[in-house]
Amino acid sequence: MLTDYAKGLFILSALSIALCGNSQAATGNKPPAGSKPNWPGHPRLYYSVKRLKALKSEIAADSGVKEAWESMLAKADRLLDEELVSKEYAERGQGQHGNYGRPASQIAAMGTTLGLAYQMTGKKEYAEKLRQAMLHFGQLNRWAGDAQRDPPWHSELNTARFCFGYAVGYDSIYDYLSQADRNAIVRAMVQRGILPTLNDWVLPEKRIHALDSMGHNWWSVCVAMAGVASLSVLEDEPQAQQWVEIVRDGFPEWFAYQGNILQNKSPNFDNQGAFYESVGYADYALSEYLLFHLAYSNVFPDDPPPEIPLLEKAGDFFVHTSYPTSDSLLSVNFGDSSIKASGARTLRLLLANGYDPPAYHWYITRTDLGLSDPISLLSYELKQRSAPPADLPQSVIYPDIGWAMMRSAWDNDSTMLAVKSGFAWNHAHPDAASFILFHKGKPLIIDSGNCSYSRPEYTSYYRQSKAHNVILIDGQAENAEACGGPDRGTVHPGQLSHLMDTAGIKYVLADATGPTSWKFSRNYRHFLWIDDVILIFDDIRTHEPGQLEWLLHFEGAAQEAGGAITLSNGSEAAAIIQPLFPNDMAVARKKGLKDHDPDTEVEYLAFTPAEKSRDMKFITAILPLDKPADKPDAKIELLEGDEMLGVRITRGAQMTDVFLNLRADGRRMHRNSNKTIHGWDTDAYLFALTRPADSPDDPDSITRCFIACGSYLRKNDKILIDSLSKVYSIFETRERTMNVTLQTQPIANCRIRAKTKPQAATLNAQTVSVRWDNTRNMAKFSLAN
């Protein structure tokens, strides 16, 4: 953990970098007709004179800053001795990226590190090494692999790295270069990097890509880096300003991309800022754009780039998908990502560009301060936070991409459940209704992850439904063959909806019917987290009878005892998996592949009913434990009856009954799903009632209620809830205050019972007036569009 020196390290504010630029005056990018543009002098992209001066002052004043700088200077010294990747090696490779990864990464590291070392010390050996590298790689015939595509591609992700390294390097040692050197380097940058990229991706005369090519991070990465390179050559290339403007003006369209029905492509972003591919690729796509945004703002301080409202929320995705442990910050790893993936680079650049929520400072403090990144070293101000902001929600849903996260708390080593039911294509896997669980600082229920894309196992295992925590029929769920696999996209993506988190109850509904509809006509999964018990209700109907399997991938060990499975990972993280219905299931141990290690086999579990079937309800309880040897605090019982199933949770002096109304599963269509269950008259699909264990089962004993897809619930001539439209709701009355979460159609009136008139009420976390019906002892709550 860093001492207080880090605060001093980053006192250079993000706002100032966007406004001050170089010490030379800047007048924007649209000078009066006939005048010469008055751009800031070099270096201007990231290493302005003012920022370099401030960093030198910090190095002299703070030992921690000095230590970070000395480490970076040592890296620059190592680069002086590093042999440049040969032309023969670079051009010998084949395929999409060829052998260009090593040289592209080398020039990117040299451009930023040697460039900063030269600007800070004035030592010519740094500039000379960088000059040699740029002249050397300028002799390559191309900066992109050749995958023999039709039509041919001339740029790829390595082209972007070349552009970035050249841009920062050229900007940093401009004064050291001769005119002949400048001409050669600019020519290489334009001919090998900028034009091949812009012709492929943007310029109308030769463009071959659309916004949704390469699924969809490539557009941002390639175009942004061509934009940064163009910013570095404004004085040298007459068309550079036009290139910069077309890059600048294209990005609002990329952020606003809404998908493609005919080609089964997803929107880039959820409306709340989440990127559909994964956490890792969100960081890649966003950070590359933000590098362009920052450089553009420094070069044109009086002409800011177009507003992109999504940037106000995009960084929140990394915060909400994070899982804080005692010694690290883990990440939700749906799709092609990793539990160690980080959005720190994006969040640092958001701060540098003026987006400054407190949660970003906490996230960066817990992950990567950027001390080894030359641009971060100069670009943002960090206010270190040891704890997340108190107002962070514990449950978040991104419905447009089908992700949800629910957690017991934001404290280290708490419990977090993440659910995905959305799109499958490219980096987004066929995992509709899958889920993962973190507990006590460890992953317990896991996603299988991924491996190198060149390995056959990447598609044959990791991008198959069997690699995820889903339900299979005869070994299949999403259509992996008839639709050409994940590379053909999903016609009908999965959905997540009705996230609620109130009064110790959390709920979300996952609908996996669409992407599994070639086999399933109903594939619904309900996650109902009540206090310290997580219940999963699966409502399944298939087109034909077959063998169903309920899959569970885990990290660590799985021990069977008494019909339950105890999962454990390390000495403390543990949970009991208790299948409740059907009660005759066998447990098979199957062979899967380890995350990021396809050469290592791992076990996963498949719970299988005794008989083949077409209709099935699965009820499963997950009980997180403090330690593997502990017993759960809650007692779990299965409830069975006529056209109903249920679960009773008894915990101390409190009892919660959860009921599933089987008449509400689609078997009755022209009539309502009316059913009396344990004396409760209702049409609800699923409902839960909490009361003192020693009290009568009566509406006036209920302290807390959950209801899903129901319009009424009553008993003993007392109405607990009533609405003409079916609602999803959680409500409680505590200390004369009624707290209600209510989801239904846009215009609705709902009445909820209380034993006595509440003095105050909240509806969907907003304070509302109490409208009281004395005759029925009910408060009225209204939704209006």
Side-chain angles (χ1 to χ4, degrees):
M1 184 62 64
L2 294 172
T3 61
D4 60 355
Y5 82 83
K7 182 177 180 181
L9 176 61
F10 298 105
I11 64 168
L12 309 173
S13 72
L15 185 59
S16 69
I17 191 172
L19 297 177
C20 72
N22 199 285
S23 58
Q24 301 183 35
T27 59
N29 69 338
K30 294 180 181 178
S35 66
K36 182 179 179 180
N38 192 18
W39 297 302
H42 296 281
R44 60 183 177 223
L45 300 180
Y46 309 109
Y47 304 155
S48 70
V49 170
K50 184 173 182 178
R51 298 205 60 75
L52 293 169
K53 182 179 178 180
L55 179 58
K56 290 177 182 178
S57 297
E58 287 302 306
I59 291 170
D62 191 296
S63 61
V65 178
K66 181 180 179 182
E67 180 182 343
W69 165 242
E70 287 175 348
S71 176
M72 190 168 295
L73 197 60
K75 179 182 177 181
D77 290 336
R78 292 193 298 273
L79 288 173
L80 291 177
D81 298 326
E82 191 171 290
E83 183 178 351
L84 297 175
V85 177
S86 70
K87 184 175 185 291
E88 292 73 22
Y89 170 84
E91 297 186 337
R92 191 169 60 234
Q94 297 179 343
Q96 178 170 275
H97 300 299
N99 282 354
Y100 291 99
R102 279 184 56 201
S105 297
Q106 187 176 52
I107 193 61
M110 288 184 170
T112 53
T113 306
L114 293 177
L116 181 59
Y118 171 67
Q119 283 295 324
M120 289 289 289
T121 67
K123 293 182 178 180
K124 294 183 178 180
E125 55 262 40
Y126 298 122
E128 178 58 26
K129 181 69 174 187
L130 185 49
R131 168 188 170 274
Q132 292 174 12
M134 289 192 288
L135 293 174
H136 170 74
F137 292 126
Q139 297 175 29
L140 297 177
N141 290 315
R142 54 189 290 143
W143 287 353
D146 183 4
Q148 302 295 315
R149 290 187 168 97
D150 179 20
W153 293 20
H154 310 91
S155 61
E156 40 102 349
L157 301 177
N158 288 316
T159 318
R161 293 188 186 96
F162 275 114
C163 282
F164 180 65
Y166 266 71
V168 180
Y170 183 70
D171 186 49
S172 300
I173 66 167
Y174 184 88
D175 65 336
Y176 177 80
L177 298 170
S178 68
Q179 190 58 52
D181 290 337
R182 294 173 187 169
N183 293 341
I185 292 169
V186 170
R187 182 167 57 250
M189 219 186 313
V190 170
Q191 295 179 358
R192 304 285 186 270
I194 297 173
L195 274 180
T197 300
L198 297 183
N199 280 334
D200 277 0
W201 297 87
V202 176
L203 297 177
E205 291 79 10
K206 295 184 178 181
R207 181 175 58 81
I208 58 176
H209 293 298
L211 290 172
D212 56 12
S213 294
M214 292 304 292
H216 307 165
N217 64 84
W218 279 51
W219 199 95
S220 175
V221 173
C222 294
V223 174
M225 293 301 97
V228 173
S230 299
L231 284 166
S232 73
V233 298
L234 286 170
E235 301 97 328
D236 310 283
E237 169 52 58
Q239 297 183 77
Q241 182 168 323
Q242 178 186 352
W243 296 338
V244 168
E245 291 172 359
I246 198 168
V247 169
R248 176 200 64 192
D249 296 340
F251 265 101
E253 297 183 55
W254 179 78
F255 276 94
Y257 176 77
Q258 292 300 298
N260 181 331
I261 292 175
L262 290 179
Q263 294 175 334
N264 300 336
K265 294 186 178 181
S266 166
N268 283 347
F269 288 90
D270 183 276
N271 186 54
Q272 296 302 310
F275 187 64
Y276 93 97
E277 286 186 328
S278 69
V279 171
Y281 279 102
D283 183 60
Y284 190 25
L286 285 167
S287 63
E288 300 294 287
Y289 165 70
L290 291 166
L291 283 168
F292 170 76
H293 188 287
L294 181 60
Y296 182 93
S297 299
N298 291 336
V299 175
F300 300 120
D302 298 323
D303 184 22
E307 284 191 20
I308 300 175
L310 205 68
L311 289 175
E312 299 283 351
K313 301 174 284 188
D316 297 351
F317 180 53
F318 302 105
V319 174
H320 292 307
T321 53
S322 71
Y323 174 70
T325 75
S326 298
D327 56 6
S328 67
L329 204 66
L330 302 180
S331 170
V332 173
N333 66 324
F334 294 133
D336 289 333
S337 192
S338 165
I339 64 168
K340 296 182 179 180
S342 169
R345 185 170 185 245
T346 292
L347 296 188
R348 294 195 305 265
L349 286 165
L350 282 167
L351 292 179
N353 280 288
Y355 301 93
D356 195 21
Y360 296 1
H361 294 271
W362 165 76
Y363 187 102
I364 294 168
T365 302
R366 290 297 312 271
T367 52
D368 181 5
L369 297 172
L371 297 178
S372 61
D373 175 14
I375 293 174
S376 291
L377 192 64
L378 277 79
S379 298
Y380 78 105
E381 177 185 1
L382 180 72
K383 305 177 185 72
Q384 287 201 78
R385 296 184 63 109
S386 60
D391 60 353
L392 276 181
Q394 292 182 6
S395 297
V396 172
I397 188 170
Y398 292 103
D400 298 335
I401 66 166
W403 288 42
M405 281 64 63
M406 300 178 284
R407 66 187 77 224
S408 61
W410 276 97
D411 298 333
N412 291 342
D413 305 329
S414 297
T415 306
M416 183 174 83
L417 175 71
V419 182
K420 178 174 181 264
S421 191
F423 204 82
W425 176 51
N426 198 25
H427 297 301
H429 292 186
D431 52 3
S434 189
F435 65 100
I436 59 177
L437 181 74
F438 295 92
H439 178 61
K440 287 288 182 179
K442 300 285 187 179
L444 274 179
I445 301 174
I446 65 169
D447 187 276
S448 291
N450 58 87
C451 69
S452 170
Y453 306 153
S454 63
R455 291 286 297 256
E457 296 89 348
Y458 173 63
T459 293
S460 66
Y461 177 74
Y462 294 100
R463 288 203 298 167
Q464 298 294 322
S465 294
K466 65 183 178 182
H468 304 93
N469 299 309
V470 300
I471 292 175
L472 306 181
I473 177 77
D474 294 330
Q476 296 177 305
E478 297 190 45
N479 193 340
E481 295 180 359
C483 292
D487 288 328
R488 295 298 295 268
T490 306
V491 177
H492 304 294
Q495 302 289 332
L496 281 185
S497 61
H498 298 298
L499 177 76
M500 297 186 289
D501 185 349
T502 300
I505 297 177
K506 308 174 194 294
Y507 170 81
V508 73
L509 168 60
D511 177 5
T513 308
T516 63
S517 58
W518 72 304
K519 292 288 185 181
F520 294 76
S521 57
R522 291 180 71 84
N523 193 349
Y524 300 105
R525 174 166 272 181
H526 304 261
F527 295 88
L528 182 58
W529 187 347
I530 301 175
D531 300 322
D532 54 359
V533 176
I534 300 170
L535 297 175
I536 302 175
F537 291 83
D538 289 293
D539 181 354
I540 301 298
R541 182 175 172 84
T542 60
H543 301 313
E544 301 292 339
Q547 183 60 64
L548 293 165
E549 295 178 281
W550 197 98
L551 302 187
L552 188 72
H553 295 261
F554 61 91
E555 182 84 11
Q559 294 182 331
E560 300 176 50
I565 304 290
T566 299
L567 303 180
S568 59
N569 185 2
S571 61
E572 294 194 1
I576 292 176
I577 312 300
Q578 187 172 341
L580 297 171
F581 190 87
N583 52 23
D584 57 352
M585 287 197 294
V587 181
R589 292 181 179 261
K590 297 199 168 186
K591 294 296 183 182
L593 301 178
K594 190 175 181 179
D595 185 11
H596 286 85
D597 184 4
D599 294 320
T600 300
E601 289 187 339
V602 294
E603 282 188 337
Y604 67 94
L605 305 179
F607 297 85
T608 57
E611 303 291 336
K612 292 184 177 182
S613 59
R614 182 182 179 192
D615 287 280
M616 182 58 67
K617 304 294 185 285
F618 292 89
I619 305 177
T620 308
I622 301 175
L623 297 90
L625 303 175
D626 287 337
K627 291 184 179 180
D630 289 352
K631 293 183 178 181
D633 293 333
K635 179 183 177 182
I636 309 296
E637 303 172 71
L638 176 68
L639 303 176
E640 295 185 81
D642 178 52
E643 292 186 297
M644 61 78 62
L645 291 168
V647 179
R648 173 164 290 168
I649 305 170
T650 305
R651 190 173 187 273
Q654 179 175 276
M655 175 185 294
T656 299
D657 287 338
V658 185
F659 299 110
L660 175 63
N661 178 3
L662 299 183
R663 283 190 179 179
D665 68 357
R667 65 187 66 182
R668 286 167 58 122
M669 292 297 292
H670 291 287
R671 293 175 292 164
N672 198 7
S673 48
N674 315 89
K675 179 67 180 172
T676 300
I677 301 175
H678 282 222
W680 290 92
D681 188 18
T682 190
D683 61 356
Y685 175 94
L686 185 67
F687 62 101
L689 303 165
T690 300
R691 59 185 170 88
D694 59 356
S695 68
D697 189 6
D698 181 85
D700 287 336
S701 299
I702 302 303
T703 60
R704 180 177 65 176
C705 177
F706 157 83
I707 186 169
C709 192
S711 72
Y712 67 88
L713 186 58
R714 52 190 180 242
K715 187 175 185 178
N716 301 337
D717 297 324
K718 301 172 184 176
I719 307 166
L720 184 60
I721 185 170
D722 180 77
S723 170
L724 291 178
S725 60
K726 291 188 175 179
V727 303
Y728 292 74
S729 181
I730 302 171
F731 57 89
E732 69 164 354
T733 301
R734 178 176 296 181
E735 297 177 355
R736 304 296 299 274
T737 298
M738 182 174 280
N739 299 311
V740 179
T741 295
L742 179 65
Q743 299 181 9
T744 183
Q745 64 184 41
I747 299 175
N749 294 295
C750 182
R751 294 169 177 83
I752 297 174
R753 184 178 184 84
K755 191 172 183 179
T756 58
K757 180 181 178 180
Q759 295 178 348
T762 64
L763 175 63
N764 296 333
Q766 300 296 316
T767 300
V768 295
S769 59
V770 177
R771 293 180 292 166
W772 186 247
D773 180 345
N774 278 311
T775 303
R776 298 184 178 89
N777 276 18
M778 300 185 81
K780 182 179 179 181
F781 298 91
S782 298
L783 298 178
N785 195 359

